[in-house]
Amino acid sequence: MSITVNGLDELRKLAGSDLGTSEWIEVAQDRIDTFADATGDHQWIHTDPERAAQGPFGAPIAHGYLTLSLFIPLFTELLDVRGVTTKVNYGLNKVRFPAPVRAGSRLRLAARLTSVEDVPGGVQITVDGTIEVDGGTKPAAVVQSLSRFYV
């Protein structure tokens, strides 16, 4: 369920709020292969299902950066900021990949808006996010993301 805010004042009021949990998204082998093609990272652990089945994870796994790249589409399910002209990713403070994402796994994002700070022309938000693996005991990724919204 998405939270919609209109303008920076409403966004500021959300500081410290839990944003909820996104819908599940499947990370199928074709998504992993497409990411490998886009990045040139064709390591067998990602792209060779037969060999990966004999590897340390028992199946092909998604690239960590593929998992990280899913943060934005999952996050946009949680928060819709209206009344701004520009939305940009500003960076990351911390990223960890505690658990692999096996091909065919489902992921979702649980997020908290930890802070909203004024910057020239807008605000910068800090979001603590956990990308969960369906049925997993550890998250696929733990992310502290920075985004900016300009008026």
Side-chain angles (χ1 to χ4, degrees):
M1 185 168 104
S2 181
I3 297 170
T4 300
V5 296
N6 294 297
L8 300 183
D9 287 338
E10 286 186 21
L11 183 58
R12 286 181 187 97
K13 291 177 184 176
L14 280 181
S17 297
D18 182 1
L19 299 176
T21 305
S22 72
E23 295 296 321
W24 292 104
I25 185 172
E26 183 180 355
V27 181
Q29 185 64 49
D30 64 333
R31 183 185 293 261
I32 295 169
D33 293 339
T34 299
F35 189 84
D37 289 342
T39 62
D41 181 355
H42 291 92
Q43 185 182 21
W44 64 267
I45 201 160
H46 307 301
T47 60
D48 185 341
E50 290 177 17
R51 186 173 176 194
Q54 304 307 314
F57 304 108
I61 61 168
H63 305 72
Y65 287 117
L66 168 55
T67 301
L68 180 60
S69 75
L70 296 173
F71 179 87
I72 291 301
L74 294 171
F75 178 71
T76 59
E77 288 184 29
L78 301 179
L79 181 63
D80 180 17
V81 180
R82 297 183 181 171
V84 297
T85 61
T86 309
K87 304 171 185 181
V88 296
N89 298 319
Y90 190 69
L92 302 163
N93 284 337
K94 185 176 183 178
V95 177
R96 297 291 183 267
F97 303 108
V101 176
R102 289 174 184 80
S105 295
R106 294 185 333 145
L107 304 178
R108 71 178 178 185
L109 174 67
R112 180 173 193 76
L113 179 60
T114 57
S115 69
V116 180
E117 301 172 21
D118 289 328
V119 297
V123 298
Q124 176 174 295
I125 67 169
T126 302
V127 174
D128 289 341
T130 302
I131 298 177
E132 303 170 342
V133 181
D134 192 9
T137 58
K138 292 182 181 179
V142 179
V143 180
Q144 188 173 69
S145 173
L146 305 174
S147 299
R148 288 193 173 182
F149 297 86
Y150 296 101
V151 291

